[in-house]
Amino acid sequence: MCGIIGYAGGRNAPDVLIGGLEKLEYRGYDSAGIAVFEKDGVRVVKTQGKVERLRRKVERAALAEVHCGIGHTRWATHGEPSDTNAHPHTVGHVTLVHNGIIENYHDLAAKYHPSPVSDTDTEIAAAVINACYRGDPQKAIFEAVSMFHGAYALCVMFDDKPDTVYATRCASPLIVARGENENFLASDVPAILCYTKRYYLPEQGELAIVTRDDIRFVDEAGNPVEKELKTADWDEDAAQKSGYDHFMLKEIFEEPRVLEQTILKYKNDFSIFEDEEFCFEVKGNIHIVACGSAYHAGLMGKYAIEKLARIPVITHIASEFRYDDPILHPDDLVIAISQSGETADTLAAVRLAKEHNVRTLGIVNVRGSSLARMADHTLYTLAGPEIAVATTKAYLCQVALMQLLAVKLAGHRLTMQEYKDMMVAFETLPERIETALSFRETAENIAARFVDKEHVFFMGRGQDFSLAMEASLKLKEISYIHSESYAAGELKHGTISLITENTPVVASLTDSARMQKTISNLKEVKARGAFVTVVTYDDVATDDFADCKISIPRQPDVTATLPAIVTLQLLSYYVALQKGCDIDQPRNLAKSVTVE
Ligand code: G6P
């Protein structure tokens, strides 16, 4: 969702801002803009559409050489994507960009800005700050935000305070980064990695005052706040395409390496699961809360934990959790899974768990993200920056980490031999993923059979059903083909009426215990003309129920599904590629969903 960038330094500010916005494109957006300090005031250039269009508009605007400004990519919430609704917004002395939602903007508008130009809550935020402004930016911002209900990360410029950016946040992400004689603001680390790796994480109730030479933090009383300067452990390369056509493909091919890192970290030293203040023993139930693919990773986690540790696990779609009045007990554990650590619904679920005094564990990819800071304990997936909107490598790491956690929770339930077998399975997983990737061409060829289809059905049983859900989401996200996932046994209770000549049906067969049952279901759809693709082990004969087969290495344990999902990620990628879709930034989608 919305991306923010800010700059003060010796470089040409529009170049830095637009370069930063390009790095933030992956968050998902539909308009973009910048504001810079020129000699005679603040100048705003903004447009509906892509950053490339903004770049051309900025070139035409022939801005003077300027050294400080703010930029924004907007994912429309209040009002359509348009030039007018794009950020930055200016009211009086104030120009600002905003990520989040000011929920009470209607009431504030009535009092402070009854005739706005745009449809946005952001313009109202600018008006409130301007109304509070009597020459002191700090006071004006703190006074204004005390009236805001909702979430915000704000970067604010005042036309009479040149070359200074003021920033504050509540719930929405924002970092302040320190360079050499230049400083930056951004929604996240990849946007500034090519300049610096050192950054601060502002907390709610703090205001950052950023100039070329200085970064200062103050609290609401105006007292200076000392903050820890953090160092990003992601390198710049991680946020580049490195020769791949798309970030998604690059990230799929990074899967063996990032999985190895994640597995090594937790497997070699299970004491990493220990924390003096956090007990992993669970006497009650485990609740998993997450959204999108992270929810699907949670389903895989449920399977592994229930199978190995025999602890009841309830998986919740995070956006439903808090409205369901969930039954929570102090002996329970709530596990929140999130790549970004910023998903508003997941954060709200954790907040609710904490209100019920239930321990919370975050499975997070982004260090220092809101979830990492909010959860009682955090385990990091080591997927590195994920840029493509459709998650691949982060999802895989989430699943592997949940499976490792299941082994930890199982403790002495596992015999020494079972434990050793599990460890071998984890050790060989990166290699098995490599093998799955080597079937890239098979996936590419099968994809050609999907490009002209309107509907695809994915099915499976057990873990293969969770996998089907993720594979189906991947396909629809990036190729815009309608797809659905079904528990294989459920198909005949309705969906089978949709199967006609050449309807594509995709199934994974990794769970040996249920394989024959799924094969029977595949025969049912095959008999009705379906075009069946299966992902399964080399030694499974598929000729009498499948048209195409993608082979994966055999592994009789909970990790068996991971190579299968990789091949289906590739399948989705090639379908979208052959359809000419915008793979890394699918329409309407945002990578980090910071609103409810
Ligand atoms: C968005 C993304 C999905 C992601 C979901 C949860 O919808 O497009 O790819 O799975 O959010 O994101 P999170 O950062 O919490 O894992």
Side-chain angles (χ1 to χ4, degrees):
M1 286 196 157
C2 302
I4 285 180
I5 186 89
Y7 179 69
R11 300 172 206 258
N12 186 36
D15 294 343
V16 178
L17 297 174
I18 289 176
L21 292 180
E22 278 169 350
K23 298 246 162 58
L24 292 166
E25 281 190 299
Y26 75 91
R27 296 173 70 84
Y29 72 105
D30 32 48
S31 56
I34 62 167
V36 291
F37 280 106
E38 285 196 320
K39 267 207 183 80
D40 47 358
V42 172
R43 180 100 175 264
V44 174
V45 183
K46 55 188 187 172
T47 180
Q48 195 223 321
K50 293 285 181 187
V51 174
E52 188 45 41
R53 188 158 165 190
L54 175 68
R55 183 188 286 283
R56 290 198 298 274
K57 203 163 175 182
V58 168
E59 276 163 16
R60 286 199 301 279
L63 300 173
E65 171 96 6
V66 286
H67 300 286
C68 180
I70 53 180
H72 189 265
T73 47
R74 172 176 185 258
W75 190 84
T77 54
H78 296 63
E80 57 170 10
S82 67
D83 288 8
T84 311
N85 286 336
H87 301 203
H89 288 278
T90 302
V91 178
H93 291 288
V94 172
T95 299
L96 58 74
V97 293
H98 165 223
N99 174 16
I101 288 183
I102 311 291
E103 288 165 0
N104 57 333
Y105 80 105
H106 265 304
D107 298 345
L108 294 170
K111 184 164 177 202
Y112 293 99
H113 200 49
S115 310
V117 182
S118 74
D119 307 314
T120 65
D121 52 336
T122 302
E123 184 185 342
I124 309 305
V128 178
I129 297 175
N130 185 58
C132 298
Y133 185 52
R134 289 169 288 275
D136 184 339
Q138 289 172 222
K139 278 199 177 132
I141 293 173
F142 278 128
E143 192 181 330
V145 299
S146 71
M147 292 183 249
F148 295 170
H149 299 165
Y152 52 82
L154 294 166
C155 283
V156 192
M157 307 196 314
F158 292 81
D159 62 359
D160 54 351
K161 306 286 176 203
D163 295 341
T164 308
V165 179
Y166 300 83
T168 191
R169 64 177 284 272
C170 166
S172 299
L174 188 72
I175 61 160
V176 182
R178 188 181 279 289
E180 293 296 324
N181 303 318
E182 58 183 354
N183 294 311
F184 305 83
L185 297 119
S187 290
D188 60 25
V189 171
I192 48 87
L193 272 182
C194 57
Y195 303 110
T196 179
K197 288 184 170 189
R198 298 181 308 154
Y199 67 97
Y200 301 98
L201 287 171
E203 299 292 345
Q204 186 178 349
E206 295 172 353
L207 179 75
I209 303 161
V210 180
T211 61
R212 171 191 178 138
D213 304 315
D214 198 17
I215 297 174
R216 282 191 301 127
F217 288 92
V218 292
D219 65 16
E220 289 166 46
N223 299 317
V225 179
E226 285 303 317
K227 293 195 68 73
E228 183 196 346
L229 188 59
K230 298 183 180 293
T231 304
D233 54 6
W234 291 350
D235 57 28
E236 198 199 331
D237 253 18
Q240 312 282 345
K241 277 191 204 152
S242 312
Y244 285 89
D245 290 340
H246 296 95
F247 278 110
M248 183 176 175
L249 192 62
K250 178 193 173 219
E251 287 159 6
I252 291 174
F253 275 84
E254 282 173 355
E255 287 177 331
R257 184 176 54 79
V258 297
L259 259 184
E260 186 167 27
Q261 282 169 7
T262 302
I263 290 168
L264 268 181
K265 171 164 176 174
Y266 294 96
K267 183 189 81 76
N268 278 357
D269 182 7
F270 261 91
S271 68
I272 205 140
F273 284 111
E274 310 298 345
D275 180 290
E276 277 172 17
E277 287 160 25
F278 192 85
C279 168
F280 274 87
E281 199 185 304
V282 186
K283 294 201 185 97
N285 296 328
I286 292 179
H287 300 264
I288 297 178
V289 292
C291 299
S293 296
Y295 172 74
H296 297 157
L299 293 173
M300 292 282 197
K302 170 185 166 76
Y303 179 90
I305 293 169
E306 289 188 338
K307 188 176 168 84
L308 302 179
R310 304 304 292 162
I311 300 170
V313 181
I314 304 133
T315 43
H316 305 261
I317 293 173
S319 56
E320 294 289 317
F321 185 67
R322 86 196 102 144
Y323 304 109
D324 281 346
D325 194 9
I327 302 165
L328 294 169
H329 188 273
D331 283 342
D332 292 353
L333 171 68
V334 167
I335 303 179
I337 308 175
S338 174
Q339 187 283 128
S340 62
E342 301 295 347
T343 303
D345 287 316
T346 308
L347 294 175
V350 171
R351 227 170 272 129
L352 182 80
K354 293 184 81 126
E355 280 165 24
H356 282 74
N357 294 319
V358 176
R359 287 170 307 146
T360 54
L361 170 67
I363 306 283
V364 188
N365 196 43
V366 178
R367 275 181 194 278
S369 55
S370 300
L371 177 56
R373 286 186 271 176
M374 188 187 285
D376 297 325
H377 191 72
T378 300
L379 298 175
Y380 285 107
T381 46
L382 302 185
E386 192 178 62
I387 308 294
V389 166
T391 179
T392 51
K393 60 175 182 170
Y395 161 81
L396 231 67
C397 289
Q398 287 166 349
V399 175
L401 184 42
M402 288 303 290
Q403 292 172 341
L404 282 156
L405 178 62
V407 174
K408 162 73 190 166
L409 291 168
H412 297 304
R413 290 193 69 89
L414 294 180
T415 63
M416 191 43 87
Q417 191 54 48
E418 284 169 332
Y419 177 80
K420 279 186 186 156
D421 290 347
M422 284 302 307
M423 292 304 108
V424 171
F426 284 119
E427 267 159 35
T428 57
L429 187 54
E431 199 183 304
R432 286 184 281 136
I433 301 288
E434 287 280 8
T435 310
L437 288 173
S438 70
F439 296 116
R440 169 186 182 160
E441 249 182 64
T442 316
E444 189 171 2
N445 293 336
I446 298 173
R449 304 289 302 261
F450 285 61
V451 276
D452 61 342
K453 300 290 186 241
E454 286 181 15
H455 312 281
V456 175
F457 295 93
F458 287 83
M459 59 191 243
R461 285 170 182 255
Q463 284 209 109
D464 287 313
F465 175 39
S466 307
L467 183 154
M469 292 168 86
E470 174 58 11
S472 167
L473 176 64
K474 216 66 343 179
L475 183 74
K476 71 184 111 187
E477 275 182 311
I478 62 170
S479 76
Y480 313 142
I481 295 176
H482 165 239
S483 71
E484 289 189 43
S485 49
Y486 275 87
E490 227 2 60
L491 216 70
K492 57 183 163 302
H493 297 294
T495 315
I496 203 158
S497 65
L498 298 170
I499 305 292
T500 56
E501 199 60 28
N502 278 328
T503 306
V505 172
V506 183
S508 62
L509 300 168
T510 65
D511 184 337
S512 303
R514 311 185 200 205
M515 192 178 281
Q516 285 312 321
K517 298 280 174 210
T518 309
I519 289 176
S520 302
N521 301 131
L522 286 171
K523 285 182 177 167
E524 288 158 8
V525 293
K526 184 84 195 109
R528 285 155 183 86
F531 171 76
V532 175
T533 301
V534 291
V535 184
T536 190
Y537 308 122
D538 238 354
D539 51 26
V540 177
T542 59
D543 287 353
D544 59 338
F545 60 87
D547 300 277
C548 294
K549 174 180 177 178
I550 307 176
S551 298
I552 50 161
R554 185 177 268 285
Q555 183 69 39
D557 66 61
V558 293
T559 69
T561 46
L562 285 170
I565 187 67
V566 170
T567 64
L568 295 178
Q569 290 170 345
L570 283 171
L571 179 68
S572 296
Y573 173 82
Y574 284 113
V575 174
L577 185 73
Q578 290 168 27
K579 285 192 74 180
C581 298
D582 188 351
I583 293 178
D584 285 337
Q585 292 161 41
R587 71 176 173 228
N588 301 339
L589 292 181
K591 181 135 190 92
S592 173
V593 181
T594 50
V595 297
E596 262 195 60

